[in-house]
Amino acid sequence: MSAIVEYVNGHKNNKENPHQVTAAQTGAYTKEETNQAINEKIVDLGGGDMQQAVYDPTGKRKDIFAAIEAMGNLLLSKATYDPQNKSQDIFAYSSHVYMATFLVDGWTGDGPYTQTVAVEKYNDGPDITADSVMLPGMGIDDTIQGDAQDTLLEAANIVDKGTKTFGANTITCVVQEKPEADAEVFFSVMKGGV
């Protein structure tokens, strides 16, 4: 008889679910359903802290701060665009391409020669102002070939050697030698005052 009592007590004290009864069989919530219900209720009640149902709705249990940090490494860091921590406009340091056409019969004076022309934006840069800064070198349309290219290049070189100043979307050039052809030139400009 003691063997039966021992067997019954052993079975009674076995907390390992020897009959493999599931929560669904008893009508109880599973652990996941219980956690979800509690989290939803806390959010509904307006819990002060962000709850798991908000920050981990798919139950991935991943460190969100590590993920945010990893994303931050993909973005342009302040150390890259402002290494001296000056908190200045980074776009002031980027250049934009503009175009101007100096007409052969648009030069005034007897030497030096002067011409002021409108500046056209080639790639959506900011408006040209008196403070704008031209980067060295002017270019021409590289699709032009042969003698036309040589003529344009010669005229563009004369303009490039001249003294240039900006106005409100204009450029004034003073040259010592008058070009013998129209000079359609491309040039890069940075926002001034930086």
Side-chain angles (χ1 to χ4, degrees), residues 129-143:
T129 68
D131 291 330
S132 296
V133 177
M134 180 182 286
L135 299 178
M138 290 185 150
I140 64 169
D141 182 347
D142 62 2
T143 63

Side-chain angles (χ1 to χ4, degrees), residues 16-160:
E16 298 297 317
N17 193 10
H19 298 287
Q20 303 298 310
V21 177
T22 65
Q25 290 171 323
T26 65
Y29 283 154
T30 64
K31 182 176 184 205
E32 291 79 18
E33 291 170 328
T34 302
N35 287 339
Q36 182 178 352
I38 291 170
N39 285 331
E40 288 174 0
K41 190 51 125 174
I42 291 171
V43 170
D44 289 343
L45 294 172
D49 294 330
M50 186 186 332
Q51 301 303 318
Q52 182 179 356
V54 174
Y55 72 80
D56 190 17
T58 59
K60 291 185 177 181
R61 297 184 149 303
K62 299 274 184 181
D63 179 356
I64 62 169
F65 299 104
I68 291 169
E69 187 175 309
M71 285 178 56
N73 291 336
L74 298 175
L75 302 175
L76 181 64
S77 70
K78 189 171 191 304
T80 301
Y81 70 79
D82 190 12
Q84 296 173 342
N85 202 25
K86 292 183 177 182
S87 296
Q88 292 178 325
D89 176 10
I90 65 169
F91 297 104
Y93 293 96
S94 61
S95 65
H96 299 278
V97 178
Y98 297 84
M99 183 186 82
T101 302
F102 294 89
L103 299 176
V104 69
D105 58 359
W107 298 99
T108 60
D110 293 325
Y113 306 96
T114 302
Q115 188 171 161
T116 300
V117 297
V119 172
E120 296 178 43
K121 298 175 185 179
Y122 188 73
N123 64 351
D124 294 327
D127 286 343
I128 294 292
T129 68
D131 291 330
S132 296
V133 177
M134 180 182 286
L135 299 178
M138 290 185 150
I140 64 169
D141 182 347
D142 62 2
T143 63
I144 298 172
Q145 301 295 315
D147 291 341
Q149 181 187 42
D150 294 340
T151 302
L152 178 56
L153 200 52
E154 185 177 317
N157 283 333
I158 292 171
V159 171
D160 191 28

